[in-house]
Each structure stands twice: as C-alpha cells, then as structure tokens.
Amino acid sequence: MGTDKDPAAENALGGFLRARRDQLRPEVTGLPTSGRRRVPGLRREEVATLAGVSTDYYMRLEQGRERHPSQQVLEAVARALRLDDEAVAHLYRVATPTARRTRRAPRVERVAPHLRRLLDTWSDTPAFVLGHALDVLARNRLAGALYAGFTHPDNLLRMTFLDPAAHHFHRDWDRAAESTVATLRKAAGIDPEDPRLRELVGELSMKSADFRVLWARHDVRGKTREAKLFHHAQVGDLELHYEAFTVNSAPTQQLIVYQAEPGSTSADALALLGSLSAGPVPARDTTRSTD
C-alpha cells in the first residue's frame, strides 16, 4: 500500500526494508561512522554485510526483483536490522505473500448479538469492538460518551487524522497517531489486497500529510495493552489503560476495554462521565461490507 499511488502497486518488502534501515543508526550496530553520510541510517551495503549476503542480492530484495528469499536470508536480514518479534512476523508476511485472488466473496463485519449485550452490561468502563481496519463496529454507552467530541467516530484512523477534535482529545497526539498507523500497517501485511484497507489508506493518504509520513515509516505494532492520555471536554484529563482481546468467534475483530486506576482522579472523572451520560443508549452497531 503506497501513499500517492495505488496501494496494491507498492513493493511492500522493499518499502519495509528501506524504512527499517533508514531508522537504524550505524553506531548501534557497531559499524564505523566516520566520513560524510548521505543517508540517516544504514546503507544497503552495510545491511548486506551485517546479514552476510552480497550487496547485489540485498539490492534485489529491496527492488522487488528477488521474490523467493530463503528463511535463512530473512532471519539474517531480521538480525541485521534488529527487528522485534512483530516486525519479524511482518517481514515474513510481506516477503512470502499469498497468491492474489481475482475475486472473493464479500466480507461483512458484524458484531455478534451476545457481544453487544456484553458491552451493554459494562456500565463503568468504556468498551468497543474494532474491525480489521480499525472501524468502530460497536461501543457501549460510556465509550460513546468518551468519544462524544468527535464528528464521525466511525474509525480510529479517521478520528485521529481527519477529525479536528483529535489534537485536543489526545494529550499525546503523536504517540496516538504512531500507534494507530502501526496497527494498520500490521493489518495491511496480513491482507494487502483487502478492499477496505486499500480504501482507507487511499483516503488518509490524500487528506493527511501526517498520515503519509507515518505510513512511509512502515512501523508495525498490534494492539495489546497501553496507557492512554485523554482530555475530555466535560470531565477534564483522563489516564486510562486498555487491554485488547481477540474475538475468537470473529478473529479479525478486537474487543478494547478501558479502565482507570482505582482511587485515582481518572477513576473519579470516569465515574462523573458515566453519571453525565446515564441513559438507555444501546451499543452502537455498524456493519461493514468489503468486496
């Protein structure tokens, strides 16, 4: 997926390798740093040396001309670039893509009724369900109140990069932006031909320069757990911790649950937000269909 052209035309492996070596400082690897350098990170020949392959072979990898790298080569390149576990998994996905399908059955993302009912039972903690492209498929009342300041709270990427409320809501907007893009990049590595992902990357690339910069970095990170710093117009500052759970009945979906530290000012603010938003508001359910 590219930024200013058809996402499917991107050399995913080459883009990932270039981005990773650009961000790896030579002194971290023990390579000499004397003399003038025209690139901020490692040169191609330096990565090749660290990986124990020829410079010509490594160049073919970045240029997309070597389409069947061995497991041993991928392991060596991963070590040379000092990739973490998630980045290594992404490297294998983009280096050995599945055969392109000419047409597939439409995929409809629905939240199961029992999961929506479960969301409604949690009155004191914000919770919502995300689709594979970070579309918000369902949310409970408190999650709706938490994100009430957004104009179109339908997708975490669109909220972060296209909604004016984002910079006021996220007290650390840079971190929030990096995290959402890294999660989307992971999803793109799993299914680069997905129509919804292609549509979303295309829209964000056209409308947000910040997104284009972060997308080009090829950072990869899934949602697991993290502390989030928010500022809510009604209750002020909040520090909430989330856990992400895979929905086994729908493996492309994730259940996100926020909580505040018991006895903290954030817990008090969250309780106040709950009382202000009290009412019979059911979990929002959005159905997504992709071809």
Side-chain angles (χ1 to χ4, degrees):
M1 292 185 176
T3 57
D4 54 7
K5 58 184 177 181
D6 184 348
E10 179 188 281
N11 170 16
L13 175 59
F16 178 66
L17 293 176
R18 286 191 296 273
R20 294 276 66 80
R21 67 176 173 85
D22 283 348
Q23 296 176 48
L24 185 60
R25 308 301 299 183
E27 56 267 22
V28 174
T29 67
L31 292 171
T33 58
S34 59
R36 185 176 181 180
R37 301 181 65 89
R38 294 186 298 174
V39 294
L42 296 184
R43 304 183 180 100
R44 289 189 183 93
E45 57 268 25
E46 290 172 332
V47 177
T49 297
L50 291 170
V53 299
S54 70
T55 300
D56 178 69
Y57 183 88
Y58 181 77
M59 288 181 64
R60 295 204 306 272
L61 277 179
E62 281 203 2
Q63 294 168 357
R65 294 187 291 122
E66 175 51 61
R67 299 184 180 276
H68 302 286
S70 67
Q71 180 177 343
Q72 291 76 13
V73 166
L74 294 178
E75 290 175 351
V77 170
R79 287 194 299 270
L81 294 174
R82 305 204 168 196
L83 303 182
D84 61 24
D85 290 344
E86 285 197 292
V88 170
H90 184 76
L91 172 66
Y92 275 86
R93 284 192 294 267
V94 297
T96 55
T98 57
R100 178 181 292 189
R101 291 166 288 184
T102 57
R103 185 69 175 174
R104 62 184 176 195
R107 176 153 60 118
V108 178
E109 288 196 303
R110 289 193 179 97
V111 177
H114 70 272
L115 182 52
R116 287 191 279 115
R117 289 193 296 270
L118 179 63
L119 291 180
D120 286 338
T121 66
W122 294 336
S123 59
D124 59 351
T125 184
F128 52 93
V129 178
L130 292 177
H132 68 289
L134 302 189
D135 292 309
V136 181
L137 303 178
R139 60 169 65 88
N140 67 3
R141 175 182 52 80
L142 195 51
L146 180 64
Y147 289 100
F150 288 86
T151 305
H152 301 291
D154 60 338
N155 178 278
L156 292 191
L157 273 298
R158 298 183 78 251
M159 292 164 66
T160 302
F161 290 96
L162 304 183
D163 199 309
H167 285 274
H168 300 287
F169 180 73
H170 292 288
R171 288 156 56 196
D172 190 346
W173 183 88
D174 289 341
R175 183 178 178 183
E178 291 169 2
S179 177
T180 53
V181 173
T183 303
L184 188 70
R185 178 60 83 172
K186 179 177 180 178
I190 295 171
D191 189 358
E193 301 299 322
D194 181 83
R196 173 57 182 155
L197 289 170
R198 292 161 62 101
E199 173 193 34
L200 185 61
V201 171
E203 178 189 15
L204 293 167
S205 296
M206 288 189 296
K207 296 180 179 179
S208 172
D210 290 323
F211 175 82
R212 291 195 296 272
V213 170
L214 290 174
W215 186 250
R217 282 172 40 175
H218 287 255
D219 292 337
V220 181
R221 186 168 60 254
K223 283 187 172 298
T224 52
R225 61 170 66 94
E226 191 177 3
K228 293 283 190 178
L229 303 177
F230 301 129
H231 178 80
H232 194 277
Q234 290 182 291
V235 300
D237 289 348
L238 291 156
E239 180 176 347
L240 302 179
H241 298 260
Y242 79 79
E243 290 277 348
F245 304 91
T246 300
V247 180
N248 287 342
S249 59
T252 62
Q253 296 178 10
Q254 286 189 301
L255 170 63
I256 310 297
V257 182
Y258 282 109
Q259 60 179 334
E261 189 70 26
S264 65
T265 57
S266 292
D268 294 338
L270 196 58
L272 175 59
L273 181 61
S275 65
L276 293 174
S277 61
V281 180
R284 179 177 179 270
D285 182 25
T286 301
T287 299
R288 277 279 176 191
S289 177
T290 59
D291 294 326

